[in-house]
Amino acid sequence: MSSEANVQLLKEAYRRWNDSKGGSVDYWFDSVIGPQIKFESLPQGAPAVPFAKCYDDRAQLRGYFDGLLADWSMQHYTMNEYVAQGDAVFARGSTAWTNKRTGKVFETPKVDFWRFKDGKAIEFYEYFDTALVYDAATA
């Protein structure tokens, strides 16, 4: 797939993710995530967000989404800038979530890095303000 096709795939996936407030996990697995993916998150499994860690197994990656949606309610997930070169795409925007246990809300700038092969994501890394997330996760 071309860089533009990868961007269009992500735009649709992020639109669904935002519109469903996290209810489109199956779409990500069916349409975006490849059979093998390296998936990483800036907190690296820190206690406040234990699900936000490194995954290199597609089946185990469900744990990321299960943990995220069990602990947090999405307010929005807005990606409004995409930069693509070759098989890589950076998506930049912002996101806000409410911690279900503490009731605290955080909003942070968000950057996601994607790498594609044959039209499917094979690598992902997310960047966001971890201090804001940790604060919202603690009483």
Side-chain angles (χ1 to χ4, degrees):
M1 285 178 76
S2 69
S3 294
E4 184 56 31
N6 293 335
V7 168
Q8 291 307 315
L9 178 65
L10 287 175
K11 282 183 176 181
E12 177 62 13
Y14 282 124
R15 183 194 65 75
R16 289 174 183 244
W17 185 238
N18 179 69
D19 291 353
S20 69
K21 299 299 182 249
S24 64
V25 173
D26 288 340
Y27 183 82
W28 286 95
F29 277 87
D30 294 343
S31 300
V32 179
I33 297 169
Q36 295 292 320
I37 187 165
K38 182 177 182 182
F39 188 100
E40 294 190 69
S41 186
L42 195 58
Q44 297 291 309
V49 283
F51 58 86
K53 61 182 184 175
C54 179
Y55 296 88
D56 57 12
D57 178 270
R58 180 184 160 97
Q60 291 177 357
L61 180 56
R62 286 268 178 186
Y64 172 88
F65 294 99
D66 292 345
L68 173 66
L69 298 171
D71 295 347
W72 301 88
S73 295
M74 182 193 298
Q75 302 303 305
H76 76 87
Y77 204 104
T78 307
M79 292 306 215
N80 48 27
E81 185 176 4
Y82 297 83
V83 177
Q85 181 179 0
D87 61 358
V89 178
F90 279 93
R92 186 175 81 147
S94 64
T95 189
W97 296 75
T98 302
N99 185 279
K100 292 179 180 178
R101 186 179 50 78
T102 67
K104 293 180 181 179
V105 177
F106 77 87
E107 182 162 8
T108 180
K110 182 79 162 62
V111 174
D112 291 344
F113 169 81
W114 295 91
R115 185 173 310 282
F116 289 86
K117 181 178 180 184
D118 300 325
K120 295 289 187 177
I122 61 167
E123 185 180 351
F124 171 85
Y125 203 101
E126 64 179 348
Y127 302 87
F128 53 88
D129 188 331
T130 56
L132 293 173
V133 175
Y134 296 163
D135 183 59
T138 55

